[in-house]
Amino acid sequence: MSSISIIIFIGVIGLTLGITYWAAKQTTTASDFYTAGSSLTGWQNGMAIAGDYLSAASFLGIAGAISLNGFDGFYYSVGWLTAYLVVLFLVAEPLRNLGKFTMADMIGARFHARKVRGAAALNTITIVLFYMLAQLVGAGALIKLLFGLEYWLSVLLVGFMMTVYVLFGGMTATSWVQIVKAVLLMAGTIIISFLVLLKFNFNFVGMFDAMRNATPHGEAFLHSGVVYKDPIGLISVLIALVLGTAGLPHILMRFFTVKDAKTARSSVIYAVWIIGLFYILTIFLGFGAAKFVGVDAIVAENAAGNMAAPMLAGVLGGEALESFVAAVAFATILAVVAGLVLSGASAIAHDLYGEIIKKGKVTEKQQVNAARIASLGVSFISILLALGAEKMNVAFLVSLAFCIAASANVPTILFTIYWKRFNTTGAIASMLTGLFTALILVAMSPNVINPVEGAAFFVGNPIFPFENPAIISVPAGFLAAIIGTLVSSKAKDEISYEEVKFKAETGYKELEN
Amino acid sequence: MNQGQNEKTVDYAKIIQTDEFKSLVKRKKKFAIPYVIFFFVVFFTLPILTSYTSILEARAIGWMTWTWVYAFGIFIMVWVLTSIYMNKAKEFDENVEEIIKKYVVK
C-alpha cells in the first residue's frame, strides 16, 4: 500500500469521524437519534437517500455485471431507478404523514394491535440482516483485495466504524456520512466516466461499436440474454427490484428525517436525479472496464466482477485515482451499513421494546438508551454472521432482501394507505406469508441447491427453478392480505380508516400534549 | 360529545365526507393511477420484448441496439414523471391547506 493510498484513506475516515463527533453533541433525544430531529432539508435528505441506496452492490456490483454480461448487467440500473417512481407516486408522502420513526409506526397508525407491529418489526430485522450480511461480506472481500488485510480483520474494521457512527452520532451522523459519501461517489464516477469517454474520443455511439469485439461474448454483449436466458426468471428479478425499494426499511426510514411530506417529496426528486445520473454512468464503468481492463483480468481478481470499477480507475488514472475509488467504495459500504444498523436498531428498540413490551410508556432517556443498546446488538450479531459467511454470494443476499421487502412489506404498506376494508388479520397474514414464501422458495432455489459443485450449499437439482422468487412471493403477499381481510372482521382496536385516510392525504397531526 | 371535546378532537368521518376532501382524493387518484399503470407497463414491456421477440435487437444508432435506446427511454420517463408529479403536487398542497384551514383549524 503506497503513501498516497494511506493519505486518501485516512482522509475519508477522519472526515466521517469528525462528522460523528459533531453529530454526537447534538444527539440527545430519541427523535435526534432515529430521525436527526426531522431537521434535514429536501436536498440533504435526497443526497442521503442516494448515499444510502447506492450500495456496494450498485457501485461495484453493477459495474462488474455490465463489464461481464453487457446489457443484462444494466437491467439492475434500470430496475433500481424505476423503483423510485413506485416510492414517489405511492409511498413517500403518506408514509411521512402517518409515521414517526419506523415503517411499523406507519402501519401502527392504523392498527394498534401489537401483533401487527411485531410482524412489521420481524420483517425489518430479517431484511436488515440479509442486506447487512451482503454489505459486510462485500466489504470484507473488498478490503482484503485492496489492502491485503485478512477477511476477518476487514469485517471487524468496517463493523467497528459503523458501530461508532450509529452509537455516538445516531441518524445525524449517519445522514451526513451518507451525504459526504454520495458526493465522493458521484465525483469518482464522473471522473472515471469522463476518462472512459476521452478514450473513445467522446463518441458515445462509437463506444458501442468498439464493444462488439471487446469481450468473449462478441456482439451478444450489446443484447439482452447473456445471463437471463429464462424470461420468467428475468421478470421475477425485475419485480423484486422495482417493488422492493418501496419496502426497504432503511430507505423508508429516511423519510422521517424531514419535517413534512412536502420535503419528503422533494427529497425523492433530488434522489431520483442523482441516482439516475449515477446509473447512466454505470455504462461507462462497465464498458470501460470490459474494454480497458479486460474480462480475464477482472475475473481473475474477483469472479463476480466486483473489482471492475477500482481496476478501471487504476488503468485510466493511475494509483491516485484507484486509491480514491477504493476509499469511496469503503465510504459507500460504511454509509450503507450505518443506515442498516439504525433501521434494525429502531425496529428492536422502538417497536419491540418501546411500543410492544413497554406499551409506549418509556421516557426519552430510556428510549435513547434502548436504541443505543439495540444498535450495539445489531452490530454485534451482523459482524458475527459476516465472519462466518465469507463464501456467500453477495448479489444473492441483496436480491433476497429486495424480494422479502417487496413480498412482505409492500402489500401491507399499500393496503394500509389505500384500502378501506383492510384489517389486522389481513396485515399480519400478508406480512408473514410474504416473508415465509420468499424464504422457503429461496431455500429450494438454485441459490441453495445447485447441480454445479461449489455454487451453492447443496449439490443437486433445485426444487424451485428461479433464483429470485418474487414472481410467486409478491402475489402471495398481496393475496394473503386480501384473503386474510375478507375472512375476518375488523378488530375493535383499529383506528378508523377515515382518520388514517385524512392524515395520509393531508399530513395533519393533532397537537401533541 | 360535549363542547370542550369538540374543540380538541377532529371529526374525521365528517371531514372526509366533505366535497373538498372527496374531490381532492378523486383528483389525486385520477392523476396518479394512469401514470402508475403507464410506468409499470413501460418497465415490464422491456424484458418481455427482449425475452420473447428480437425486435429490439436491431441496430438503432450505430451499433447501439434498440434495447439500449428503450432502456435510456425508461430513464427519461423516470425523470419526466418525477417532474410532472412535483408540479401537480404543488397544486394538491394548496387544496390540502384550504381544507385544513376550513375544517380543522378554527
Side-chain angles (χ1 to χ4, degrees), chain B residues 46-65:
Chain B
L46 176 63
I48 290 169
L49 287 180
T50 59
S51 301
Y52 293 103
T53 77
S54 53
I55 52 172
L56 291 180
E57 289 184 11
R59 290 163 55 182
I61 313 159
W63 278 91
M64 193 199 296
T65 58

Side-chain angles (χ1 to χ4, degrees), chain A residues 11-347:
Chain A
V12 169
I13 293 180
L15 185 62
T16 53
L17 284 179
I19 292 169
T20 309
Y21 177 73
W22 162 78
K25 289 193 291 190
Q26 316 196 356
T27 304
T28 52
T29 65
S31 148
D32 292 335
F33 190 86
Y34 290 126
T35 64
S38 299
S39 64
L40 262 59
T41 63
W43 75 264
Q44 288 169 347
N45 195 40
M47 299 276 279
I49 291 172
D52 209 354
Y53 194 63
L54 298 173
S55 70
S58 289
F59 181 45
L60 303 173
I62 296 180
I66 296 178
S67 72
L68 299 184
N69 307 321
F71 186 82
D72 275 4
F74 194 56
Y75 263 129
Y76 279 88
S77 294
V78 178
W80 274 334
L81 177 66
T82 311
Y84 273 90
L85 285 180
V86 182
V87 175
L88 182 64
F89 274 77
L90 297 173
V91 176
E93 293 183 55
L95 182 83
R96 177 64 193 93
N97 283 340
L98 290 174
K100 194 177 169 199
F101 295 153
T102 66
M103 191 199 83
D105 275 344
M106 173 251 171
I107 301 167
R110 183 161 172 195
F111 308 112
H112 271 327
R114 289 193 276 166
K115 287 173 285 185
V116 180
R117 197 181 272 275
L122 175 71
N123 284 346
T124 296
I125 294 164
T126 314
I127 294 164
V128 164
L129 280 181
F130 279 115
Y131 213 106
M132 180 81 116
L133 208 50
Q135 302 295 328
L136 283 178
V137 171
L142 176 81
I143 294 165
K144 187 177 160 189
L145 273 172
L146 291 173
F147 305 107
L149 292 178
E150 288 293 318
Y151 173 83
W152 65 269
L153 194 59
S154 313
V155 169
L156 284 186
L157 178 69
V158 174
F160 175 75
M161 295 281 299
M162 76 181 182
T163 315
V164 168
Y165 297 153
V166 176
L167 205 55
F168 296 105
M171 186 53 112
T172 311
T174 301
S175 301
W176 281 98
V177 168
Q178 287 162 350
I179 292 169
V180 167
K181 169 254 156 144
V183 173
L184 291 176
L185 181 67
M186 288 312 288
T189 310
I190 289 170
I191 293 169
I192 302 177
S193 303
F194 177 80
L195 292 175
V196 169
L197 261 177
L198 188 70
K199 283 260 189 187
F200 285 111
N201 298 319
F202 294 97
N203 184 348
F204 184 69
V205 178
M207 181 172 77
F208 283 80
D209 188 13
M211 295 316 291
R212 270 190 309 142
N213 39 33
T215 70
H217 295 303
E219 215 180 286
F221 185 83
L222 297 174
H223 298 292
S224 164
V226 171
V227 188
Y228 300 113
K229 302 201 185 307
D230 169 30
I232 306 295
L234 169 63
I235 290 170
S236 192
V237 171
L238 293 180
I239 291 174
L241 298 184
V242 81
L243 286 179
T245 303
L248 284 180
H250 66 294
I251 296 296
L252 298 182
M253 199 177 172
R254 291 233 53 89
F255 295 116
F256 302 122
T257 63
V258 293
K259 66 179 194 303
D260 54 21
K262 215 186 279 183
T263 324
R265 177 202 311 145
S266 78
S267 57
V268 182
I269 313 267
Y270 285 110
V272 163
W273 281 97
I274 301 166
I275 292 167
L277 178 62
F278 174 84
Y279 282 142
I280 281 283
L281 297 179
T282 55
I283 299 174
F284 299 108
L285 300 181
F287 280 17
K291 177 83 182 166
F292 303 117
V293 181
V295 172
D296 293 341
I298 295 170
V299 175
E301 194 74 48
N302 173 279
N306 285 335
M307 295 311 290
M311 289 171 89
L312 175 64
V315 169
L316 297 178
E319 197 175 4
L321 190 60
E322 185 168 4
S323 306
F324 176 70
V325 168
V328 169
F330 182 69
T332 290
I333 292 165
L334 287 179
V336 176
V337 290
L340 286 166
V341 170
L342 210 50
S343 58
S346 67

